[in-house]
Amino acid sequence: RYLLPADMADTPGLVRSDYELTVDSDPRHIPGIVSWLIRATAGALSDTTQLHLRGTLQELLLNAVEHGNLDISYQVKQQAIDQNRLSQLVQERLAQPRLAQRTVTIHVHCDRQAGLLEYRIADQGKGFQWKTLLHRTTTPCNAEDASGRGIFLARSFFPNLRYNDRGNEVTVQIPIH
């Protein structure tokens, strides 16, 4: 083990930095990963922006794990929630060798000269049709169909959220000063 800086903002003279993390597909690990990301990369952001970023990263990582790597559709997830068996469904998926070995890659790029902090999250799933969802997420979701609420929330905080063509990689950019 080696220690990483507690916060990039505490490193005088740092112009640019890049972190790449590869994490497993167990959703129970996401809160700790998000906490580390906020601590290590977002300390210079305002408390409000950190709070928005925490919620956004939590949602995007959960989507990457559940919908991407574990191949759980919105409908299947909703049914499992209704039957109070989401944890069981996740564990069943994690027990499948082809799904269990999938990882999520998180790339964090900070460029102080350009005034930019960027998070790119990529899963190993088949992707999704994000174009219709992003267009739909410009208006609030109705109560009967919560699909896309997390993306709606993330876009309301960070309007430049974007996906790759396949839909298995999302990028969030935050201006820094």
Side-chain angles (χ1 to χ4, degrees):
R1 288 185 143 221
Y2 61 94
L3 295 176
L4 295 171
D7 183 343
M8 291 187 302
D10 293 338
T11 310
L14 182 68
V15 176
R16 245 181 318 288
S17 66
D18 287 280
Y19 286 113
E20 186 170 287
L21 287 75
T22 302
V23 299
D24 66 21
S25 292
D26 191 331
R28 295 174 298 188
H29 300 151
I30 292 173
I33 292 163
V34 170
S35 290
W36 183 87
L37 284 167
I38 298 296
R39 236 183 5 262
T41 65
L45 301 176
S46 73
D47 289 346
T48 302
T49 303
Q50 283 186 38
L51 184 63
H52 294 168
L53 182 59
R54 179 178 297 277
T56 295
L57 291 174
Q58 177 88 19
E59 184 62 34
L60 297 177
L61 283 169
L62 195 58
N63 283 348
V65 165
E66 290 181 347
H67 301 307
N69 284 354
L70 299 181
D71 200 22
I72 299 172
S73 70
Y74 170 75
Q75 292 79 11
V76 168
K77 180 179 179 178
Q78 201 54 52
Q79 186 178 30
I81 290 170
D82 292 345
Q83 297 170 354
N84 199 26
R85 58 177 303 277
L86 181 59
S87 294
Q88 182 182 347
L89 173 63
V90 167
Q91 293 311 308
E92 289 167 3
R93 296 293 172 102
L94 285 170
Q96 296 178 25
R98 82 174 176 86
L99 300 179
Q101 67 188 9
R102 290 181 175 178
T103 57
V104 174
T105 302
I106 307 159
H107 181 245
V108 185
H109 174 72
C110 179
D111 187 330
R112 287 187 177 168
Q113 288 177 329
L116 180 68
L117 178 59
E118 180 179 88
Y119 297 84
R120 192 173 64 238
I121 299 168
D123 63 63
Q124 295 179 319
K126 61 184 178 230
F128 75 106
Q129 296 300 315
W130 57 269
K131 290 176 185 171
T132 55
L133 191 59
L134 278 189
H135 292 302
R136 201 180 88 200
T137 59
T138 57
T139 57
C141 305
N142 62 36
E144 300 84 47
D145 182 12
S147 177
R149 280 193 183 165
I151 294 171
F152 173 78
L153 180 69
R155 278 197 80 206
S156 68
F157 295 140
F158 305 107
N160 58 0
L161 181 123
R162 67 182 190 275
Y163 284 87
N164 66 352
D165 286 341
R166 184 171 148 191
N168 71 327
E169 180 180 284
V170 61
T171 302
V172 178
Q173 292 182 332
I174 299 110
I176 55 174
H177 311 289

